Amino acid sequence: MLDMTRLLAALAGAVLAAGAAQAAPVTTLLANYDTTFSTLCNGVACEQAVAEARNGDNGRTAAQAEWNIGPNTSAPTATVNISGLTGGGLWNGTALPFRLAYDGSDLRFGIDRGSGFQDVTYTVSLAATQTLFIRAVARSGGADTTIAGLALSGNALPTLAGDSGGDYLRVSNFTWSSAWNLTGTIAMTGGPGAGAVPSVQFKLTNLAVPPPVPEPAGIALLGLGLAALGVARRGSAASARAG
């Protein structure tokens, strides 16, 4: 009986430890999420920071190509303007390395066009951040946008190919307030101008992810663990009374 009590107690401890351990980031593809995201976020209310690379109009002129970072995409804090390069297109389909990195106070976004990363930096606290939304957009005119080879502090993330539907990749279950880095490549095809505005966005928000519905097997395992704790406690109490 004592051996069984110890076994059940060990099982319960393993269940509780597994629940407390830091897991790998969870990614969820959210199709046609533009309208939903706007409804949830209501402008900049939920956004701690947004990094964006865009070929086209960002409140300036449709001939500009740029990447920027700040509290929102309509008024970025820092901007690198690369208009006039690469023959009117941003990268003409070439996959170029990028990095989005946080050191605990500064968020850095950079793209390497062959001569090293050219970064923009925004100082921000990400203590309230719960989710990162990655968006790859390719609007009309045959434009295409792909974010590939993604890795978040060594954890591989899915490739995201943009279309006119405004799909998002949500990344959660991760501690954003400590140092981390997101790397990969960005490729865009399609010149600037009306109807052709390929872009990528990285939105760090305080939006929480709805808790998943527990599966029956998980519920049963948790129940077994709790029962084991009860048995172990009763056994300890009985031994104390006998002593």
Side-chain angles (χ1 to χ4, degrees), residues 144-155:
D144 182 62
T145 303
T146 303
I147 311 175
L150 285 170
L152 177 59
S153 296
N155 297 282

Side-chain angles (χ1 to χ4, degrees), residues 5-21 221 224-226 228-229 232:
T5 299
R6 288 175 177 171
L7 177 61
L8 291 175
L11 177 60
V15 171
L16 295 176
L221 184 59
L224 179 59
L226 294 175
L229 283 176

Side-chain angles (χ1 to χ4, degrees), residues 70-98:
N72 59 72
T73 55
S74 62
T77 299
T79 299
V80 172
N81 188 335
I82 57 171
S83 61
L85 299 179
T86 62
L90 183 55
W91 303 305
N92 292 330
T94 302
L96 295 182
F98 82 91

Side-chain angles (χ1 to χ4, degrees), residues 50-174:
V50 178
E52 180 181 53
R54 180 187 295 243
N55 180 4
D57 189 2
N58 189 24
R60 296 168 177 79
T61 69
Q64 286 188 331
E66 65 216 5
W67 60 85
N68 53 65
I69 193 169
N72 59 72
T73 55
S74 62
T77 299
T79 299
V80 172
N81 188 335
I82 57 171
S83 61
L85 299 179
T86 62
L90 183 55
W91 303 305
N92 292 330
T94 302
L96 295 182
F98 82 91
R99 66 182 177 195
L100 180 65
Y102 187 62
D103 64 5
S105 64
D106 291 336
L107 187 64
R108 184 179 303 274
F109 183 40
I111 298 171
D112 184 357
R113 293 185 290 113
S115 57
F117 286 97
Q118 188 173 4
D119 293 327
V120 289
T121 302
Y122 175 54
T123 300
V124 61
S125 170
L126 298 182
T129 299
Q130 299 191 55
T131 45
L132 167 67
F133 291 85
I134 304 175
R135 180 175 182 247
V137 181
R139 295 187 178 153
S140 60
D144 182 62
T145 303
T146 303
I147 311 175
L150 285 170
L152 177 59
S153 296
N155 297 282
L157 305 183
T159 293
L160 193 60
D163 58 24
S164 59
D167 291 350
Y168 284 77
L169 182 69
R170 182 178 63 200
V171 186
S172 57
N173 196 37
F174 189 77

Side-chain angles (χ1 to χ4, degrees), residues 200-214:
V200 299
Q201 293 177 330
F202 303 88
K203 297 172 175 278
L204 291 149
T205 80
N206 59 21
L207 291 176
V209 177
V213 178

